[in-house]
Amino acid sequence: MSGADVVEAVFETVAGAAPEIRESLVGRRRYEAGENPSGEQQLAADVYADELFEERLLALDGVATYASEEREDVVEGADGDYHVALDPLDGSSNVKSNNAMGTIVGVFDAPLPAGGESLVAAAYVLYGPLTTMVTLREGTVTESVVHEGERHVGTADRSLPDEPTVYGFGGRVPAWTDAFADYASEVEQELKLRYGGAMIGDVNQVLTYGGVFAYPALTTHPNGKLRRQFEGIPIGAIVEAAGGASTDGERSLLATPPEDLHERTPVFVGNRSLIERAEATLSA
Ligand code: P6P
């Protein structure tokens, strides 16, 4: 299979699983005994989604390994040239409050952990009032509605609006650094707050309305909360391809390969002007 065929097969598999993932949430809102490698409690839904995606993605020709936010190590499959990094249910804590959450996918042509230079495709599924899927391949960002596991293209070439409208900043305000608090106080005067507690829902607002999403370095968590491999790189690539920008506070999220599969990074994505201001304020 060509690389394009493998990417399409990954996208089809993830979209195809969306109805089952939605259905699986019913009755799986309880926390399991275990924690994920980031030390976060796992919902039964997290474990179910992770096992479903592992089985189906490793069954694809060309997919050599599977890694997920929910498991310590990379899982070896059959021979292949591509490596899939997944956040099976990003924002799963939102299941209990019935708020939006998503699945994040990165397809790499190098063994994981791998950086932006090895990313060949990325996508996210947003389980909101509708199920939608945003995909990045060959530089183009496409948004589709997923109905009965099939993608129906809505916007063939999604790009950020030139004028930003919304912002969403994570972390508790008392834990914000002084520099980030200065940046936030400027942005709060200009944009509308949209923060839902699941990165995918908040990033999709930025992609739709323009603006900035950030989960910054905190005084309590100097590397922030989000994972570079599973969240920062694929989402940073999607927003950059849509005409926006990303940063970890110093440089594009695609510029620094993760040393550890589960390492955390500060994440800023959105309109380029807002990202540049963030870097300027944080480096002052
Ligand atoms: P907080 C969800 O757990 C997640 O990893 C991201 O999806 C989201 O942006 C962030 O954590 C929310 O964190 O501290 O607001 O609960």
Side-chain angles (χ1 to χ4, degrees), residues 97-163:
S97 55
N98 195 27
N99 287 98
M101 52 169 204
T103 296
I104 306 174
V105 188
V107 182
F108 296 82
D109 60 7
L112 302 173
E117 74 285 352
S118 305
L119 184 76
V120 297
Y124 64 82
V125 176
L126 175 56
Y127 307 100
L130 298 177
T131 302
T132 54
M133 186 171 188
V134 170
T135 56
L136 163 61
R137 54 186 304 182
E138 293 160 4
T140 299
V141 178
T142 301
E143 181 177 31
S144 304
V145 171
V146 179
H147 179 58
E148 294 176 351
E150 295 293 326
R151 281 171 290 159
H152 302 274
V153 174
T155 308
D157 190 357
R158 164 66 80 195
S159 58
L160 260 74
D162 292 337
E163 275 310 306

Side-chain angles (χ1 to χ4, degrees), residues 12-95:
E12 270 182 10
T13 300
V14 173
E20 293 163 271
I21 295 292
R22 267 195 180 277
E23 194 55 36
S24 76
L25 303 178
V26 179
R28 288 189 174 86
R29 302 201 293 180
R30 67 186 182 283
Y31 280 110
E32 297 281 15
E35 288 182 342
N36 69 15
S38 299
E40 296 158 344
Q41 275 192 298
Q42 284 182 314
L43 279 180
D46 287 315
V47 175
Y48 176 86
D50 181 40
E51 290 172 356
L52 181 152
F53 283 124
E54 179 211 14
E55 179 191 352
R56 296 198 186 165
L57 292 171
L58 284 180
L60 298 176
D61 287 342
V63 174
T65 66
Y66 169 89
S68 114
E69 198 177 275
E70 300 305 325
R71 55 182 74 211
E72 192 65 44
D73 301 312
V74 174
V75 181
E76 301 288 336
D79 285 348
D81 297 326
Y82 297 92
H83 307 263
V84 179
L86 210 79
D87 185 353
L89 282 187
D90 175 71
S92 57
S93 56
N94 274 359
V95 172

